[in-house]
Amino acid sequence: LWPVKVDIGQFEQVVVNLAVNARDAMPAGGDLTVRTPNVTAEECKAFSYRELAPADYVVVEVEDTGSGIAPDVLKKIFEPFFTTKEVGKGTGLGLSMVYGIIKQTGGFIFCDSEVGKGSTFRIFLPRHIAEAKKAGEPGDAPAAPAKVADPAKDLSGSATVLLVEDEDAVRMGGMRALTSRGYTVHEASSGVEALEVFEALGGKVDIVVSDVVMPEMDGPTLLGELRKRQPDIKFVFVSGYAEDAFARNLPADAHFGFLPKPFSLKQLATIVKDVLES
Ligand SMILES: Nc1ncnc2c1ncn2[C@@H]1O[C@H](COP(=O)(O)OP(=O)(O)OP(=O)(O)O)[C@@H](O)[C@H]1O
Ligand SMILES: [Mg+2]
C-alpha cells in the first residue's frame, strides 16, 4: 500500500465512527468489510464521483450489509447534528467529524448505499510522495480559505477564557495568542477537566473555546453541561468540520461561534472578540 499522510489518532476515530455506524445499521447482524486498495489516477475514472480529482489514492472502504440509506437521507448524513437515531442515542456528529478529518487531510469521502442491501463508505487519501514534502510544511491539505480578518480591528480584551483542547501544542498556541492580547486564560485538556476548572473558578468564565472531538467528554457534551450551570455562557467550537455545513445546522438562537481548523492565532483572537461582543 502506498504511504499516506494522516493524523493516526484522527484516522482511528474515522474508522471507529464508520464501524460503529455500520454496527448500528445491522441490529440483526451482518458483515462489516474493510478494504484498502491503491487506486491510480486512471482507475479513478471508474468511480462516478464528480468531485474526485483524478490522482493516485489509497482508498479505505468500509462496507456493511445493513439497512442502507434512503437517497433523501444520504444527502444529509455528513451534516453536523444530523441523525436518524433516537434522542440520546446519537449526536449526529460522527460523520461530520469524519468528513472534517478527511477534508483536512486533503482527501475525499463518498457513500454509496442501497436501502435493504447496505452501505459502502469510501475514503480517498492522496498518495504521499515523500520528496515533495518541505520541512515545516503544515500538511498537504489545502487550507480552508480563511476569512481575512479586518486588519484595523482591535483584538485585545480582558475577558476570562476557558480554553479546552486535548492537544498540548494547539492549546499552548491559543493560550499565548489570547494571553498576549490581555485575556485571562484558564486551560483544560479535556471536557471533564474543563468542568472541574469551571467549578473551581466558581463559574467566573466569560467564554469557552473548545475543541469538538476530545476523549472522555466531547465539546457538544461539555457545552450541554456548562449550559446547565450557566445558561448564557458564550461558546466557540474549534473543529475540522466544514464551516458551511456547521452554519446550516445552527439553531437560529445559537449562542456559539465556530472556528474551522486549521486556523491562525489571529483568527482565534478575532472570533473570541466577535462572540464576546455578540
Ligand atoms: N452505515 C450506515 N448505515 C445506515 N445509515 C447510516 C450509516 N452510517 C450513517 N448512517 C446514517 O447517517 C446518520 C448520521 O450519522 P452520524 O454518524 O453522523 O451520526 P449518528 O451515528 O446518528 O450519531 P453519532 O455518530 O453522533 O453517535 C445516522 O443517524 C444514520 O441515519
Ligand atoms: Mg455515528
Side-chain angles (χ1 to χ4, degrees), residues 41-73:
E42 188 59 30
E43 286 164 344
C44 280
K45 291 173 196 151
F47 297 96
S48 50
Y49 303 132
R50 260 195 299 139
E51 292 115 276
L52 182 65
D56 289 348
Y57 295 98
V58 173
V59 170
V60 178
E61 269 177 28
V62 179
E63 183 182 308
D64 67 62
T65 55
S67 59
I69 307 170
D72 57 320
V73 172

Short mmCIF file of all heavy atoms in Angstrom, two decimals, residues 41-73:
data_model
loop_
_atom_site.label_atom_id
_atom_site.label_comp_id
_atom_site.label_asym_id
_atom_site.label_seq_id
_atom_site.Cartn_x
_atom_site.Cartn_y
_atom_site.Cartn_z
N ALA A 41 -4.70 7.15 -10.75
CA ALA A 41 -5.44 8.25 -11.40
C ALA A 41 -6.33 7.68 -12.51
O ALA A 41 -7.48 8.10 -12.67
CB ALA A 41 -4.45 9.26 -11.96
N GLU A 42 -5.79 6.73 -13.24
CA GLU A 42 -6.53 6.09 -14.33
C GLU A 42 -7.78 5.38 -13.80
O GLU A 42 -8.89 5.53 -14.33
CB GLU A 42 -5.59 5.10 -15.05
CG GLU A 42 -6.13 4.48 -16.31
CD GLU A 42 -6.48 5.51 -17.38
OE1 GLU A 42 -5.83 6.59 -17.43
OE2 GLU A 42 -7.42 5.23 -18.14
N GLU A 43 -7.60 4.67 -12.70
CA GLU A 43 -8.70 3.89 -12.12
C GLU A 43 -9.79 4.77 -11.48
O GLU A 43 -10.91 4.33 -11.29
CB GLU A 43 -8.16 2.91 -11.06
CG GLU A 43 -7.42 1.73 -11.67
CD GLU A 43 -6.55 0.97 -10.66
OE1 GLU A 43 -6.26 1.51 -9.56
OE2 GLU A 43 -6.13 -0.14 -10.97
N CYS A 44 -9.42 6.02 -11.17
CA CYS A 44 -10.40 6.94 -10.58
C CYS A 44 -11.64 7.10 -11.46
O CYS A 44 -12.75 7.31 -10.98
CB CYS A 44 -9.79 8.33 -10.38
SG CYS A 44 -8.76 8.44 -8.93
N LYS A 45 -11.38 7.03 -12.77
CA LYS A 45 -12.48 7.27 -13.73
C LYS A 45 -13.61 6.24 -13.59
O LYS A 45 -14.74 6.52 -13.93
CB LYS A 45 -11.92 7.23 -15.16
CG LYS A 45 -11.03 8.43 -15.45
CD LYS A 45 -10.35 8.30 -16.80
CE LYS A 45 -9.19 9.26 -16.91
NZ LYS A 45 -8.14 8.76 -17.81
N ALA A 46 -13.24 5.06 -13.09
CA ALA A 46 -14.25 4.00 -12.94
C ALA A 46 -15.29 4.37 -11.88
O ALA A 46 -16.39 3.83 -11.87
CB ALA A 46 -13.57 2.68 -12.59
N PHE A 47 -14.91 5.29 -10.98
CA PHE A 47 -15.88 5.72 -9.98
C PHE A 47 -16.65 6.91 -10.53
O PHE A 47 -16.07 7.77 -11.19
CB PHE A 47 -15.17 6.15 -8.69
CG PHE A 47 -14.42 5.04 -8.01
CD1 PHE A 47 -13.06 4.87 -8.24
CD2 PHE A 47 -15.07 4.16 -7.17
CE1 PHE A 47 -12.36 3.85 -7.61
CE2 PHE A 47 -14.38 3.14 -6.54
CZ PHE A 47 -13.02 2.97 -6.77
N SER A 48 -17.91 6.96 -10.24
CA SER A 48 -18.69 8.08 -10.80
C SER A 48 -18.82 9.21 -9.77
O SER A 48 -19.89 9.73 -9.56
CB SER A 48 -20.07 7.58 -11.22
OG SER A 48 -20.66 6.85 -10.17
N TYR A 49 -17.69 9.53 -9.13
CA TYR A 49 -17.72 10.62 -8.15
C TYR A 49 -17.22 11.89 -8.83
O TYR A 49 -16.05 11.99 -9.16
CB TYR A 49 -16.83 10.29 -6.96
CG TYR A 49 -17.18 9.01 -6.26
CD1 TYR A 49 -16.20 8.08 -5.95
CD2 TYR A 49 -18.49 8.73 -5.91
CE1 TYR A 49 -16.51 6.90 -5.29
CE2 TYR A 49 -18.82 7.55 -5.25
CZ TYR A 49 -17.82 6.64 -4.94
OH TYR A 49 -18.14 5.47 -4.30
N ARG A 50 -18.13 12.84 -9.01
CA ARG A 50 -17.76 14.03 -9.78
C ARG A 50 -16.65 14.86 -9.14
O ARG A 50 -15.78 15.38 -9.83
CB ARG A 50 -18.99 14.90 -10.05
CG ARG A 50 -19.54 14.68 -11.47
CD ARG A 50 -20.49 15.77 -11.85
NE ARG A 50 -21.64 15.77 -10.93
CZ ARG A 50 -22.20 16.86 -10.44
NH1 ARG A 50 -21.73 18.05 -10.79
NH2 ARG A 50 -23.24 16.79 -9.64
N GLU A 51 -16.69 14.99 -7.80
CA GLU A 51 -15.68 15.84 -7.14
C GLU A 51 -14.29 15.22 -7.11
O GLU A 51 -13.32 15.89 -6.85
CB GLU A 51 -16.06 16.12 -5.68
CG GLU A 51 -17.27 16.99 -5.50
CD GLU A 51 -18.36 16.18 -4.82
OE1 GLU A 51 -19.10 15.46 -5.53
OE2 GLU A 51 -18.46 16.24 -3.59
N LEU A 52 -14.21 13.93 -7.35
CA LEU A 52 -12.94 13.24 -7.19
C LEU A 52 -11.96 13.63 -8.29
O LEU A 52 -12.13 13.31 -9.45
CB LEU A 52 -13.18 11.72 -7.22
CG LEU A 52 -11.94 10.85 -7.02
CD1 LEU A 52 -11.38 11.04 -5.62
CD2 LEU A 52 -12.28 9.38 -7.24
N ALA A 53 -10.93 14.39 -7.88
CA ALA A 53 -9.89 14.79 -8.84
C ALA A 53 -9.04 13.57 -9.15
O ALA A 53 -8.57 12.90 -8.22
CB ALA A 53 -9.04 15.89 -8.22
N PRO A 54 -8.84 13.24 -10.43
CA PRO A 54 -8.05 12.04 -10.74
C PRO A 54 -6.61 12.18 -10.24
O PRO A 54 -5.93 13.16 -10.56
CB PRO A 54 -8.08 11.96 -12.27
CG PRO A 54 -9.08 12.96 -12.73
CD PRO A 54 -9.29 13.94 -11.64
N ALA A 55 -6.18 11.24 -9.43
CA ALA A 55 -4.83 11.23 -8.86
C ALA A 55 -4.65 9.85 -8.24
O ALA A 55 -5.57 9.05 -8.24
CB ALA A 55 -4.68 12.32 -7.80
N ASP A 56 -3.45 9.62 -7.73
CA ASP A 56 -3.22 8.35 -7.04
C ASP A 56 -3.72 8.45 -5.60
O ASP A 56 -3.36 9.39 -4.89
CB ASP A 56 -1.72 8.01 -7.03
CG ASP A 56 -1.22 7.61 -8.41
OD1 ASP A 56 -2.07 7.38 -9.31
OD2 ASP A 56 0.01 7.52 -8.59
N TYR A 57 -4.52 7.48 -5.19
CA TYR A 57 -5.08 7.48 -3.84
C TYR A 57 -4.92 6.12 -3.18
O TYR A 57 -4.94 5.09 -3.86
CB TYR A 57 -6.59 7.78 -3.86
CG TYR A 57 -6.96 9.14 -4.34
CD1 TYR A 57 -7.37 9.34 -5.67
CD2 TYR A 57 -6.94 10.24 -3.48
CE1 TYR A 57 -7.73 10.60 -6.12
CE2 TYR A 57 -7.30 11.50 -3.94
CZ TYR A 57 -7.69 11.68 -5.25
OH TYR A 57 -8.05 12.91 -5.69
N VAL A 58 -4.85 6.17 -1.87
CA VAL A 58 -5.08 4.96 -1.09
C VAL A 58 -6.53 5.05 -0.63
O VAL A 58 -6.94 6.05 -0.04
CB VAL A 58 -4.14 4.87 0.13
CG1 VAL A 58 -4.52 3.69 1.02
CG2 VAL A 58 -2.70 4.74 -0.34
N VAL A 59 -7.31 4.03 -0.97
CA VAL A 59 -8.73 4.05 -0.64
C VAL A 59 -8.97 3.17 0.58
O VAL A 59 -8.39 2.08 0.70
CB VAL A 59 -9.57 3.59 -1.84
CG1 VAL A 59 -11.03 3.38 -1.44
CG2 VAL A 59 -9.48 4.62 -2.96
N VAL A 60 -9.78 3.68 1.50
CA VAL A 60 -10.22 2.87 2.63
C VAL A 60 -11.74 2.72 2.50
O VAL A 60 -12.46 3.71 2.52
CB VAL A 60 -9.86 3.53 3.98
CG1 VAL A 60 -10.37 2.69 5.15
CG2 VAL A 60 -8.35 3.73 4.08
N GLU A 61 -12.16 1.49 2.33
CA GLU A 61 -13.59 1.21 2.15
C GLU A 61 -14.15 0.54 3.39
O GLU A 61 -13.56 -0.41 3.89
CB GLU A 61 -13.78 0.21 1.01
CG GLU A 61 -13.97 0.81 -0.34
CD GLU A 61 -14.06 -0.27 -1.40
OE1 GLU A 61 -14.49 -1.41 -1.09
OE2 GLU A 61 -13.68 0.02 -2.54
N VAL A 62 -15.28 1.04 3.86
CA VAL A 62 -15.96 0.39 4.99
C VAL A 62 -17.36 0.04 4.51
O VAL A 62 -18.16 0.93 4.20
CB VAL A 62 -16.01 1.31 6.23
CG1 VAL A 62 -16.74 0.62 7.37
CG2 VAL A 62 -14.59 1.69 6.66
N GLU A 63 -17.62 -1.26 4.39
CA GLU A 63 -18.88 -1.71 3.80
C GLU A 63 -19.68 -2.52 4.81
O GLU A 63 -19.12 -3.32 5.56
CB GLU A 63 -18.55 -2.58 2.58
CG GLU A 63 -19.77 -3.06 1.83
CD GLU A 63 -19.38 -3.97 0.66
OE1 GLU A 63 -18.53 -3.56 -0.16
OE2 GLU A 63 -19.91 -5.08 0.60
N ASP A 64 -20.99 -2.28 4.84
CA ASP A 64 -21.84 -3.10 5.71
C ASP A 64 -22.99 -3.66 4.90
O ASP A 64 -23.29 -3.20 3.81
CB ASP A 64 -22.34 -2.28 6.91
CG ASP A 64 -23.30 -1.17 6.51
OD1 ASP A 64 -24.39 -1.46 5.96
OD2 ASP A 64 -22.97 0.02 6.75
N THR A 65 -23.63 -4.68 5.48
CA THR A 65 -24.80 -5.29 4.84
C THR A 65 -26.04 -4.94 5.66
O THR A 65 -26.90 -5.79 5.91
CB THR A 65 -24.63 -6.82 4.76
OG1 THR A 65 -24.37 -7.32 6.10
CG2 THR A 65 -23.46 -7.21 3.87
N GLY A 66 -26.10 -3.68 6.09
CA GLY A 66 -27.17 -3.24 6.98
C GLY A 66 -28.36 -2.64 6.26
O GLY A 66 -28.64 -2.96 5.10
N SER A 67 -29.01 -1.71 6.96
CA SER A 67 -30.29 -1.15 6.50
C SER A 67 -30.18 -0.36 5.20
O SER A 67 -31.15 -0.22 4.46
CB SER A 67 -30.83 -0.22 7.58
OG SER A 67 -29.88 0.82 7.83
N GLY A 68 -29.00 0.18 4.93
CA GLY A 68 -28.88 1.08 3.78
C GLY A 68 -29.45 2.45 4.12
O GLY A 68 -30.03 2.64 5.20
N ILE A 69 -29.25 3.40 3.22
CA ILE A 69 -29.64 4.78 3.49
C ILE A 69 -30.47 5.29 2.31
O ILE A 69 -30.03 5.24 1.16
CB ILE A 69 -28.40 5.68 3.68
CG1 ILE A 69 -27.46 5.08 4.75
CG2 ILE A 69 -28.80 7.10 4.07
CD1 ILE A 69 -26.11 5.75 4.84
N ALA A 70 -31.65 5.80 2.60
CA ALA A 70 -32.52 6.32 1.53
C ALA A 70 -31.89 7.57 0.92
O ALA A 70 -31.21 8.32 1.62
CB ALA A 70 -33.90 6.64 2.11
N PRO A 71 -32.13 7.80 -0.38
CA PRO A 71 -31.47 8.93 -1.06
C PRO A 71 -31.66 10.29 -0.39
O PRO A 71 -30.72 11.08 -0.33
CB PRO A 71 -32.10 8.92 -2.46
CG PRO A 71 -32.55 7.51 -2.66
CD PRO A 71 -32.92 6.98 -1.31
N ASP A 72 -32.85 10.57 0.14
CA ASP A 72 -33.06 11.89 0.75
C ASP A 72 -32.28 12.02 2.06
O ASP A 72 -31.88 13.12 2.45
CB ASP A 72 -34.56 12.16 0.98
CG ASP A 72 -35.20 11.08 1.84
OD1 ASP A 72 -34.87 9.89 1.65
OD2 ASP A 72 -36.02 11.43 2.70
N VAL A 73 -32.05 10.91 2.73
CA VAL A 73 -31.25 10.93 3.96
C VAL A 73 -29.77 11.02 3.62
O VAL A 73 -29.00 11.75 4.25
CB VAL A 73 -31.53 9.66 4.81
CG1 VAL A 73 -30.57 9.55 5.99
CG2 VAL A 73 -32.97 9.66 5.30
#
